[in-house]
Amino acid sequence: MTTPKPRVAIYPGSFDPLTSGHVDIIERGSRIFDQIIVSILSNVEKTPLFSEKERIEIIRDVFKGRGNVQVETFHGLLVDYAQQKQASVIVRGLRAVSDFEYEFQMALMNRHLAPGIETVFMMPAEQYTYISSRLIKEVFMLGGEITGLVPPLVEQKLRAKQKAKKK
Ligand SMILES: Nc1ncnc2c1ncn2[C@@H]1O[C@H](COP(=O)(O)OP(=O)(O)OP(=O)(O)O)[C@@H](O)[C@H]1O
Ligand SMILES: [Mg+2]
């Protein structure tokens, strides 16, 4: 008898920065799949708040106790990268109906490109459904309270960025 192949999932995104919504999805994914690779999309056009290196370090630190959560960056076509990693699943989070249209289109395009890869949608706990990285950055920069909406390490790093900017 052959042992079944480990089921590897890719969770792609920009994670600029990691939020409690992302953490929720990663935890759910890590309970279902043998391995989940949090894959940070290198985007040369966007100027991120956190560098790729900083984002990797944050996610690795938050999940240091979870052996089956890995963190990497990637560029190019997601399905090519997934195949390279021998991943059979792409995990995406769904917050609201507003996510649906874009996600639906992407999932079907990825299926067209790579029929062997399945996109799996997961819903976070209700209290995280309104969180996005963009909104966190906006609220934080305007002095709003974000405790609990991001991991404590992210809040700490945001404060450090703010301090550096003021100097
Ligand atoms: N609060 C959340 N709950 C569940 N899924 C989420 C949440 N935030 C993001 N996701 C999902 O995580 C994946 C990566 O998203 P991404 O890195 O774009 O995060 P984002 O918060 O949407 O950031 P941005 O505001 O920069 O678009 C996507 O599948 C997205 O739907
Ligand atoms: Mg987004």
Side-chain angles (χ1 to χ4, degrees), residues 2-166:
T2 51
T3 40
K5 267 208 323 203
R7 202 170 275 286
V8 179
I10 301 281
Y11 179 40
S14 34
F15 307 103
D16 184 36
L18 182 74
T19 70
S20 299
H22 296 135
V23 171
D24 180 290
I25 298 296
I26 296 167
E27 278 171 351
R28 285 174 205 281
S30 80
R31 289 196 290 267
I32 294 178
F33 304 109
D34 297 313
Q35 200 188 338
I36 180 160
I37 310 176
V38 182
S39 304
I40 302 171
L41 173 65
S42 305
N43 191 338
V44 278
E45 279 161 49
K46 271 197 215 163
T47 13
L49 180 62
F50 290 94
S51 69
E52 279 172 26
K53 192 164 162 270
E54 287 174 311
R55 283 178 275 163
I56 290 183
E57 280 169 5
I58 290 170
I59 306 171
R60 283 202 180 136
D61 194 280
V62 170
F63 288 96
K64 58 178 181 265
R66 291 251 185 182
N68 70 338
V69 176
Q70 275 180 280
V71 190
E72 287 187 356
T73 55
F74 78 102
H75 50 87
L77 263 188
L78 175 62
V79 291
D80 287 346
Y81 167 76
Q83 271 160 349
Q84 213 181 60
K85 291 283 147 190
Q86 303 200 320
S88 53
V89 172
I90 294 170
V91 169
R92 296 292 286 172
L94 275 187
R95 285 164 286 199
V97 182
S98 52
D99 278 337
F100 183 78
E101 198 168 323
Y102 174 73
E103 293 293 342
F104 181 73
Q105 201 179 18
M106 284 304 297
L108 291 181
M109 177 55 86
N110 285 332
R111 178 179 285 167
H112 167 79
L113 296 170
I117 297 176
E118 209 59 59
T119 301
V120 171
F121 293 103
M122 302 186 100
M123 279 172 286
E126 298 96 89
Q127 70 265 32
Y128 302 135
T129 50
Y130 62 94
I131 305 173
S132 73
S133 298
R134 184 193 54 77
L135 198 53
I136 290 290
K137 286 182 278 195
E138 209 171 295
V139 168
F140 179 81
M141 294 307 171
L142 295 171
E145 179 67 62
I146 54 154
T147 304
L149 306 185
V150 295
L153 177 63
V154 171
E155 195 176 344
Q156 202 181 304
K157 299 273 181 195
L158 279 166
R159 287 198 197 293
K161 285 248 179 253
Q162 201 178 35
K163 235 173 145 182
K165 224 173 133 184
K166 277 188 185 152

